[in-house]
Amino acid sequence: MKKSTLFIMGAVAAMTAQAQAENLPDRQAQLPSSPKVEGQEYLIPRPLDAIPAGAFGDKVRKGYQLFVNTQQLRDKYVGNELNCVNCHMDAGRKPNASPIWGAYFAYPAYRKKNDKVNSFEERIQGCFTYSMNGKAPESGSPELVALSAYAYWLGVGGLMDQYGVKGEVPELADAELIKGGKREDFPIPEAIKQQLTVEQRANLPGRGYPSIPKPEQAYDPARGEQVYQAHCQACHGADGQGQAIAGVYALPPLWGPQSFNWGAGMHRVNTAAFFIHENMPLGKSMQLTTQQAWDVAAYINSHERPQDPRFNGKLEETQGKYHKHAGYYGKEVKGILLGKEAYPVFPKKQ
């Protein structure tokens, strides 16, 4: 067979594979979670004042600043009133609140959400697209490098302290930072590598939101409304739109045009229930029963929010392709078909 023929066949096969990958159904797997273990020890990140001076430290600091004040990217990459820290508590440092150090060691990894292996920066790009109802920064952008550097520094610094490795966190090139830490060739101190396998690093205790038992009664938005009024509305408002002072949100909106969209992981009732039970109410978590957590998660997620960015113009098809899980997209609640009149994706701030 001629080389030209082989080349054409190979090109066609590659194009076909790419087309298939782009059209594969999103099975929207839930975020990793497991029950809490009593007495479990968790990674302790280094304090922020330990971030080193110099160019690498500047990237880490920028990553921290973007994480806690993601609104500085509004209209560039962010399309709502949320910050990363709203779902990843204590600036992404808190175990059992989906800490960013745990996520860093979990990527590259296959994700059912887009049916391919994702690097760490691709995972963050997804956060901008869905949780921030915005636009993904381009690969290798300063913002993605900075967020990756921050996650890397928190994770590796914490492991170095845990295993008695002295000194500063080794600097990495930008191209290495954005890959993530779940790989055999990841440059990590030998003392840590001898203690933890790649898979063990990818599943550090406290990585996600701890799972809780299924509710004794089927979760119910009506009961959840009562829980919300008693425990949540003081911070997030009776209308769920959070609290803003001089246009700056101190407490985030939970539904409506300025919250996460229908593609974000938090719109799943189970994910929201896990997060709420462990981390809410803010400053006094673990106050709700598991039933209350499930019910109030259902109530929050039974309201309209921005459209799923993958919406193809047909609600039923989008629901069937991307939402075969515990959620309310494409379902009728109080006479309203959720998703039909969803708010815009990536709107400009008024």
Side-chain angles (χ1 to χ4, degrees):
M1 189 175 291
K2 294 182 180 180
K3 289 185 178 180
S4 59
T5 303
L6 287 171
F7 176 81
I8 293 172
M9 291 176 63
V12 171
M15 292 172 63
T16 302
Q18 180 179 2
Q20 290 175 339
E22 291 174 350
N23 292 293
L24 281 171
D26 180 345
R27 289 173 288 279
Q28 192 88 359
Q30 70 182 66
L31 295 174
S33 59
S34 58
K36 287 178 70 174
V37 176
E38 187 175 353
Q40 179 69 65
E41 293 185 6
Y42 302 106
L43 180 146
I44 302 175
R46 292 182 175 182
L48 297 174
D49 60 10
I51 298 174
F56 175 69
D58 290 343
K59 294 175 188 176
V60 175
R61 273 182 287 273
K62 180 176 181 180
Y64 163 75
Q65 292 164 0
L66 292 174
F67 201 88
V68 298
N69 181 21
T70 325
Q71 285 301 302
Q72 60 190 288
L73 300 177
R74 185 63 191 264
D75 293 342
K76 184 178 182 181
Y77 299 125
V78 174
N80 59 21
E81 293 294 344
L82 303 185
N83 296 291
C84 299
V85 70
N86 294 141
C87 294
H88 309 271
M89 316 302 288
D90 187 23
R93 298 161 49 86
K94 184 179 182 294
N96 298 317
S98 195
I100 192 171
W101 48 260
Y104 189 79
F105 292 123
Y107 288 89
Y110 171 78
R111 295 190 77 209
K112 289 183 179 180
K113 194 176 184 84
N114 55 11
D115 215 81
K116 70 171 192 173
V117 173
N118 285 216
S119 64
F120 183 69
E121 75 160 359
E122 287 176 306
R123 181 65 182 88
I124 299 176
Q125 286 175 319
C127 291
F128 279 102
T129 301
Y130 299 107
S131 297
M132 311 307 293
N133 193 36
K135 172 185 174 183
E138 292 187 5
S139 175
S141 66
E143 292 83 5
L144 291 179
V145 169
L147 288 166
S148 299
Y150 176 55
Y152 163 79
W153 183 82
L154 288 177
V156 173
L159 287 180
M160 288 174 65
D161 292 346
Q162 185 174 342
Y163 290 98
V165 180
K166 304 296 184 182
E168 298 288 359
V169 174
E171 298 184 14
L172 288 187
D174 293 355
E176 291 295 312
L177 284 170
I178 60 178
K179 292 179 182 177
K182 190 183 178 183
R183 47 196 173 98
E184 293 292 345
D185 64 345
F186 179 63
I188 194 167
E190 189 63 30
I192 299 173
K193 187 178 294 187
Q194 291 177 359
Q195 295 290 328
L196 296 174
T197 66
V198 173
E199 285 297 325
Q200 287 173 326
R201 295 200 305 267
N203 292 282
L204 293 173
R207 169 192 167 189
Y209 303 132
S211 62
I212 58 176
K214 292 182 178 180
E216 293 184 4
Q217 298 175 282
Y219 55 76
D220 177 40
R223 284 198 307 269
E225 183 175 13
Q226 298 176 5
V227 178
Y228 184 87
Q229 292 170 349
H231 298 278
C232 312
Q233 74 174 21
C235 290
H236 296 284
D239 59 358
Q241 300 310 294
Q243 293 189 26
I245 301 174
V248 178
Y249 278 76
L251 296 163
L254 301 181
W255 62 80
Q258 298 302 330
S259 192
F260 53 88
N261 65 40
W262 281 115
M266 197 62 79
H267 90 276
R268 293 179 61 117
V269 175
N270 55 341
T271 299
F274 297 169
F275 168 77
I276 290 167
H277 185 263
E278 176 67 25
N279 295 288
M280 292 290 126
L282 186 64
K284 52 178 182 177
S285 58
M286 304 293 292
Q287 297 293 305
L288 303 182
T289 66
T290 55
Q291 182 70 57
Q292 288 175 320
W294 281 99
D295 287 342
V296 77
Y299 173 69
I300 290 168
N301 283 333
S302 63
H303 289 79
E304 193 62 275
R305 57 185 63 260
Q307 184 59 267
D308 188 325
R310 301 158 299 187
F311 179 61
N312 62 1
K314 298 179 180 179
L315 180 62
E316 186 175 347
E317 286 187 12
T318 305
Q319 192 274 338
K321 187 174 183 180
Y322 300 119
H323 293 267
K324 295 180 180 179
H325 52 256
Y328 286 93
Y329 184 83
K331 298 178 181 178
E332 189 171 300
V333 178
K334 293 184 177 180
I336 298 174
L337 183 59
L338 295 175
K340 183 179 180 180
E341 302 294 335
Y343 298 102
V345 173
F346 198 29
K348 296 296 182 181
K349 188 167 185 176
Q350 300 298 320

